[in-house]
Structure formats: structure tokens, C-alpha cells
Amino acid sequence: MHIHILGICGTFMGGLAIIARSAGHKVTGCDAGVYPPMSTQLEEQGITLVEGFGVEQLELNPDLYIIGNVVTRGNPLIEAILENNLPYVSGPQWLGEQILRQQHVLAVAGTHGKTTTSSMLAWVLEYAGLKPNFLIGGIATDLGVSARFNPDSKHFVIEADEYDTAFFDKRSKFVHYHARTAILNNLEYDHADIFPDLAAIETQFHHMVRIIPQSGVVITPTHDEALERVIARGIWSNQTHFGNDGEWQCGHRDPAGQTFEVLHQGQSIGTITWAHTGTHNINNALATIAAAKAVGIEPSTAIEALCQFKGIKRRMELRGEVKQICVYDDFAHHPTAIATTLDGLRKRVGNARIIAVLEPRSNTMKLGTMAARLPEALQQADLAFCFGETHGKHALGWKPEEIFGDQADKVKTFHDLEALKQALVSVAHPGDHIIIMSNGSFGGLHEKLLKAL
């Protein structure tokens, strides 16, 4: 079958393209702004890419169009597809029907930690010899790619996103995935562009829970009020808990969380020592061990694997060190994730100076829904810089100067990237840790800063 994918350069759709190609289909695709590294990764797989969404692509005459959720009404190619009554489907629906129905799906959902936890889980299954298939919204160093599919492998780890599926399907992506083992890592309000409130997201999470089979397992943290409300609506599967008072807990640990004891039902079963920091990553590990056990992997094996887990790009990734100044890249953009990331770094570096550089770029952050929480989220930083575009699709709908007005000595706001870079260069000195946080490219600030330093 010839499949043509609209919006192919997104992380999810690019991974789906690789999976479709591995399943034996001819795959082509289009997007606005076809550029490396995704374009290179796809072309290496023999996938032809087209720039833009021109109607001439109908001449490719594919058997099916797969539509990414970046594509909206008014897009010339989708208008032509609808006008000519051509066959189309969303990416999650195609994946669920054609690939995942034949797999034991291990789905990782939650507001925070999806990419990290799904990478941990895929790595544990790989280490245990299960050779899992996976589709993850990032690239784990241990795995080398964001997606892999072999029909002979029967386990599939997927990052299960609550964002909507397509312009014609407003359910969350994860309802299509046929999960049998599900981690629900945490739940907070996010995606203010599509969800009016937290209750609306809870409903989508319960849609996922209510279709997990009786023999399946739902893995949740203790003391998460939103998830407790989700489960209270009904659960028909096995359930296990991690965190304080759960079946899976952290015992003795160092302050940074780089060495910690794993407890199962109160009994010590091993110790993880790794390079990662923070309580959030400890919880990610506990959830991973619980999910791995659900598919027959001994906790001791999972602990061994996690001790070797190298992490994923853009999650506290050290991009370089110049003149004893460390520059990190991190994907954190939600206030809770920002606070947790900075707390983990603080516990690791002690009294060393932390300079946080933030670009509020997600749809939720651009709307300003959570802007008032940012001053508190940046509490562990000694200095902070907030960048906001004033024009174009990434422009903020609020003024950082107003949000940080009473913290002018600590938080500086910028609307020009070059000026921001120069300000960072002027204040940085040996021993500093500069952490750049954005869910976008931030104009290549990381490399520009390292070069300037």
C-alpha cells in the first residue's frame, strides 16, 4: 500500500512513517519546513518528502492519506482530499488498527515524564532481550532512534499523548492505542488551547482506562488527586501503585536522587545508581519497573538496566562546558516541570549558581494560562532570563515584564535573542550552570551561547 503522510516531520508522524515503512508500505509525506534531522532520518529510510501542502500531491495517487494533527481546514491539500472524497485517516487511528492491535502495548501517559519513562521502559525491555517495538517523542541515547517496528516482536512501548488526534477527531491520541499495560504518571492541567479545564482531561484519561482489558495493568502514583478521580469513575483491570505508600517505593536515597533503594511491598530489592537527578526520575523508574514486571521482566533485571540508562536528548542534556560553565538543554515548559527540573539540578550542584533561561513556547504557555506560576517555578534558580517573541505564531499573549515585575533583580526579560545571548555571556562566570528550557529550538541559543562563551 502507498501511504502519503501530511505533517510528516513532527516527532510522532515521523516515527509513524518509519513504522509504516518497516511494515512493508511505500511511504511518502509532506510538511511545511522539511529540514534535518527528521528529514535526514526519513530519507535514510527511503521515504520521499515533499515541501509544503500543494494540491499537485494528489498526482502521487496514494492508496491512503494519513493526516497529522497539525493539519487544519483551509490547508489546500486537505481541502482537495475532502473535495475528491479520497480515503484518509488520522495517524493514531491507523497505528492502532494496523499495528498495535497485534501487539502487547505498554503505554506511558501523563502530563510530565512521558518521553523519559517510555524511553526507560523500552530500554529495560531491550536489555531483557524482548527487542521491543516503540514510538517515543524523543531519542534515547540507548536506543538511537525514536521509533522501531519489527512484526516478529510482540511488545510495543508507546508514548501516549493526551493531545487531540486530528481536526476531525478530537479524542486524545491514546484512546486509539489498545493499551494492555498503562502507566499514568501524573495528571495536571495543560493544553489550554484544546482543554477548557482539568476535568476535561480527566475524562479523556478515563476513556483510556475504560478500554484496558481485565488482564491488563494500570500503574498509577499514590496521592495524585486528579488520577484518583479518574480511577474513581471505574476501573476494570489490575492496578498497582508507585510512590509513598505504594507497592513500589523509594527507600534510602541521596539528596540528588542519583542513588536510591527500590522497595517492593516494603522489601528492598536493589539499588539504582545513575547520572539522573530528582524525585521525578525516581518515580519514573519505579513506574518503569512495575510495567516491566507486568510483562515478565524480573525487577532485578530492570534495576540493572536502569543503572545503565543514559537518558534522552533534551532532558537535562549537557550540551557543552566552556571555561567551567556548563550549558544544559531541557524540554521543561510547564511550571511543574520547570520547578522539578531546577530542584533536581540544585540538589546535584549544591550552592553553585544556577542560571535558568526560559522560553514559554507551548500553546498553553503562550496563552498565559499558567504564567502566574512561573515566578515560583523558578525559585531554585539564582538568576533567570525569560524570552518572549512579540510577533508571529510564537508570540506571547502576555507580558513577562508584568509577571516578573517584583522580581526584576532576579528575572530579566528579553524579546531579542541576540540581546539575551549577550546578557548571558556578560553575567556567566566559572562554576555556573546555565539551563536553557524550551519545547522548541529556541533559535539555536544553546550552540550560539557556547560559541560566544
Side-chain angles (χ1 to χ4, degrees), residues 48 155 286:
T48 301
H155 295 88
L286 295 175

Side-chain angles (χ1 to χ4, degrees), residues 11 115 118-119 134-140 145-147 159 312-313 315:
T11 306
T115 302
S118 51
S119 297
F134 53 83
L135 176 52
I136 300 168
I139 299 177
V145 291
S146 63
E159 179 175 333
I312 58 176
K313 294 182 180 299
R315 303 307 189 276

Side-chain angles (χ1 to χ4, degrees), residues 99-404:
I99 302 293
L100 299 182
R101 198 179 289 280
Q102 292 78 42
Q103 301 272 299
H104 181 125
V105 176
L106 299 96
V108 181
T111 307
H112 315 292
K114 291 187 292 294
T115 302
T116 299
T117 307
S118 51
S119 297
M120 286 183 187
L121 184 53
W123 166 242
V124 168
L125 268 63
E126 179 80 0
Y127 183 89
L130 296 185
K131 298 181 179 178
N133 299 316
F134 53 83
L135 176 52
I136 300 168
I139 299 177
T141 303
D142 310 270
L143 302 169
V145 291
S146 63
R148 184 173 76 190
F149 179 67
N150 180 342
D152 295 329
S153 295
K154 296 305 176 187
H155 295 88
F156 199 114
V157 177
I158 189 164
E159 179 175 333
D161 189 3
E162 71 271 27
Y163 211 78
D164 61 4
T165 297
F167 77 86
F168 51 88
D169 182 354
K170 292 306 176 182
R171 294 172 293 173
S172 290
K173 292 176 183 176
F174 53 44
V175 300
H176 293 285
Y177 292 163
H178 307 289
R180 186 167 290 271
T181 300
I183 295 173
L184 310 184
N185 235 359
N186 41 63
L187 183 52
E188 285 191 76
Y189 184 54
D190 198 4
H191 307 309
D193 53 322
I194 61 171
F195 293 116
D197 50 35
L198 179 56
I201 308 178
E202 290 174 10
T203 295
Q204 292 295 325
F205 269 71
H206 194 249
H207 288 166
M208 179 185 183
V209 168
R210 71 192 304 166
I211 56 175
I212 296 172
Q214 282 190 331
S215 61
V217 180
V218 178
I219 300 161
T220 57
T222 55
H223 311 301
D224 186 304
E225 292 182 3
L227 286 175
E228 287 172 0
R229 288 193 295 269
V230 170
I231 298 302
R233 294 189 183 192
I235 183 170
W236 297 265
S237 315
N238 299 300
Q239 189 179 9
T240 188
H241 299 86
F242 63 91
N244 295 337
D245 305 319
E247 294 97 307
W248 302 90
Q249 297 183 41
C250 170
H252 298 296
R253 55 169 287 185
D254 71 340
Q258 293 184 291
T259 297
F260 61 95
E261 184 183 25
V262 177
L263 306 180
H264 183 230
Q265 297 180 337
Q267 301 296 312
S268 176
I269 58 173
T271 298
I272 291 176
T273 298
W274 59 3
H276 315 292
T277 60
T279 301
H280 61 300
N281 275 321
I282 292 176
N283 286 329
N284 292 341
L286 295 175
T288 294
I289 296 167
K293 189 174 187 297
V295 293
I297 297 172
E298 288 298 320
S300 57
T301 301
I303 289 169
E304 285 179 18
L306 289 171
C307 285
Q308 298 181 34
F309 180 67
K310 296 184 179 68
I312 58 176
K313 294 182 180 299
R314 306 214 61 202
R315 303 307 189 276
M316 277 303 297
E317 179 187 2
L318 179 63
R319 291 288 292 268
E321 182 176 350
V322 179
K323 299 175 183 175
Q324 297 178 281
I325 301 167
C326 294
V327 177
Y328 305 87
D329 182 14
D330 196 88
F331 196 73
H333 53 279
H334 186 286
T336 299
I338 292 166
T340 304
T341 298
L342 291 175
D343 184 65
L345 181 59
R346 171 59 67 202
K347 287 184 168 67
R348 189 168 84 190
V349 304
N351 294 325
R353 193 166 68 151
I354 295 175
I355 301 174
V357 187
L358 173 66
E359 180 188 32
R361 186 181 167 119
S362 72
N363 289 333
T364 299
M365 294 309 297
K366 284 188 296 185
L367 287 170
T369 309
M370 299 181 187
R373 293 176 55 189
L374 288 175
E376 183 180 0
L378 294 167
Q379 204 167 37
Q380 290 285 8
D382 296 284
L383 286 175
F385 294 79
C386 182
F387 175 77
E389 292 191 23
T390 55
H391 300 92
K393 68 177 183 177
H394 297 304
L396 295 182
W398 50 281
K399 295 180 179 180
E401 295 86 351
E402 295 178 357
I403 294 297
F404 297 110

